[in-house]
Every structure is written in structure tokens, then in C-alpha cells.
Amino acid sequence: MANLYWEKQDHIALMTWDEGENRHNPDFVGRLLELFDEIEADREVNAVVIRSADPKNWSLGIDLQWIMAAIVDEKGRDDARTFLTDLNISFKRALTFPVPVIAAITGHAFGDGAIFACACDFRFMRADRGFFCFPEVNISIPFFPGMWAINRKAIPYHKLEEMMLTGNRYGAVELAEHHAITKACPTAEATVEEALAFASTFAKDRAIFAEMKRRANQWILDVIDREDPPLIEKLQLTA
């Protein structure tokens, strides 16, 4: 099982991803979903902050080596379909979680890692090192419709179009200027500290908070549920 864990600091769940590049594969996503269940069961938690233990990367997205190998045989294709379905479930958990989910982006966030950050409610990012990037256009892997919708939630359309069609890398200062992140922080340590300080301001009623998020994100959930399954069934990963 992937080395993902959480600890409670006052009323905040501090989740740590400690899998190096934190690439998403069945073990990673399975453990992530377990953590969301554990945290939700603790009624004292008022917010979640997600950080990486790796000094360089927050998450480099889908484990392409694993998924490409899985697709080459019939059983592997079934495993890949299950994984992609579970990945969407993890997005939906973040989009509907009854307390704020805050990404403390302490290193590179590429591809699916960047998408998951967009699924979070708020994003803090270090400014001294690390980039945010959607490289899919450069590696011939188009977004699923649900991924496109998630990104639109977090990034103004004019900037998102540029990011998705160029595959360029962006730093925290530029993203903050375009309101794609909440704040650019000077260091990794400051990023986590700022995210925790922001998280400490929340003590909302869970039922109301969850309903506010559900209503705001219902259009994204509908896209994920309606448009992604046929493409996952076909494993239409390449253009």
C-alpha cells in the first residue's frame, strides 16, 4: 500500500504523500480514498491540508509506466479501467468533501497531480521552486471531459486555455496573479504554514459546507459521471 498518512493538528487533518514523485496508480488512489474515509469519520476535523514529503515534487500525476504496461494485455486493461474509475472517485471526494480540502503545493504539480490540486478547494504554492504544468498536449494524452471541467473550476478560462494548449510550466507568482492559487509562498515550509493557518480559520457546519460544494460543483460531477465512462471503457487515452 502506498505510503500516504495523516495526522491531526488541533482540528486540521494534515495529509502527507510520501511516495517520492507521488505518481497516481491503484495503490496510491486506493490509499488516498481510505484516508478521506478516515478523516471524514473524525468529526473533530474542520479542514484538510495535503502536502508532499518529497522536497522536489508534490505530484507528477498518473504513473504512466504502470498504466501503459497495464493496457497491453486484456486483464491489464480491466485494471486500467478500474483505476481510472477510482481516480474519478478521488476527484469527486475532493469536490464534495464536507470540510475544506487545501493543497499545499510544495513542489512540482504536473498532469494529474495538477488536476487533483484543481479539485481541491484552495491551493497554496511555494514560489522559490517547482512548477505547475499540464503536459498532456506534449505527450499525446488528452484530458477526459471531467478533468477539463475540474480545471475550469480552479483556473480562469483564458489562462487555462493557454496552459492546456501550450503545455508550458508556470510558477506560483504567475498563478497567483491569475487567481489560480490562493497564495504564492516563499518556501516549502512557509507554504505548509500558510495553508495550516488558513485551514485554522474554518469551523463550518459540515452539512451546509458539503451542500454548498455539491451545488457549486454539480456540473463537474455530472460531466464526470456522464461523459467519462464511455471513454474509460474504450481506454481512449491517446489522440
Side-chain angles (χ1 to χ4, degrees):
M1 184 61 70
N3 190 27
L4 281 61
Y5 55 91
W6 71 284
E7 57 190 295
K8 190 158 63 177
Q9 296 192 8
D10 295 324
H11 294 281
I12 302 167
L14 178 58
M15 185 190 300
T16 301
W17 294 350
D18 193 7
E19 280 288 300
E21 294 180 342
N22 294 317
R23 290 188 176 272
H24 300 173
N25 54 39
D27 284 345
F28 189 100
V29 172
R31 181 58 180 152
L32 177 60
L33 291 173
E34 288 180 356
L35 294 188
F36 273 131
D37 288 345
E38 292 171 13
I39 293 168
E40 186 172 6
D42 189 331
R43 302 294 298 182
E44 294 183 350
V45 170
N46 291 331
V48 180
V49 171
I50 302 176
R51 67 175 177 183
S52 169
D54 188 82
K56 183 178 180 181
N57 303 296
W58 191 72
S59 173
L60 294 189
I62 288 178
D63 185 341
L64 294 177
Q65 183 176 0
W66 175 83
I67 199 166
M68 292 307 181
I71 290 172
V72 300
D73 65 80
E74 187 173 349
K75 182 182 184 302
R77 287 193 291 275
D78 287 340
D79 291 340
R81 292 185 185 98
T82 298
F83 162 71
L84 292 170
T85 299
D86 288 345
L87 184 63
N88 271 351
I89 292 172
S90 74
F91 292 146
K92 291 164 66 174
R93 286 293 272 150
L95 291 165
T96 60
F97 207 65
V99 302
V101 181
I102 303 165
I105 306 170
T106 49
H108 297 312
F110 281 18
D112 198 62
I115 296 167
F116 190 87
C118 289
C120 296
D121 300 303
F122 304 97
R123 287 155 295 285
F124 290 73
M125 183 175 173
R126 68 184 293 184
D128 64 324
R129 181 177 180 180
F131 293 102
F132 195 101
C133 176
F134 299 119
E136 283 79 1
V137 70
N138 295 326
I139 57 177
S140 299
I141 298 180
F143 289 102
F144 286 131
M147 294 174 172
W148 171 262
I150 290 167
N151 294 340
R152 285 184 62 190
K153 173 185 81 70
I155 302 172
Y157 188 84
H158 72 279
K159 193 63 178 176
L160 175 60
E161 187 174 47
E162 173 193 310
M163 294 172 70
M164 295 174 70
L165 296 183
T166 66
N168 290 343
R169 302 184 302 175
Y170 297 83
V173 172
E174 183 173 0
L175 293 177
E177 289 173 351
H178 289 274
H179 305 288
I181 63 173
T182 304
K183 188 173 183 179
C185 306
T187 64
E189 293 77 12
T191 302
V192 176
E193 290 171 3
E194 292 273 8
L196 287 170
F198 182 68
S200 71
T201 66
F202 286 90
K204 311 298 184 184
D205 179 273
R206 282 191 173 193
I208 296 300
F209 197 83
E211 184 63 12
M212 293 281 282
K213 287 179 63 170
R214 186 193 66 77
R215 293 184 185 186
N217 296 324
Q218 187 61 56
W219 70 279
I220 305 174
L221 303 174
D222 290 344
V223 170
I224 291 173
D225 289 342
R226 181 181 65 250
E227 299 185 33
D228 284 4
L231 298 178
I232 290 173
E233 180 61 28
K234 296 176 183 177
L235 285 180
Q236 192 169 321
L237 299 178
T238 57

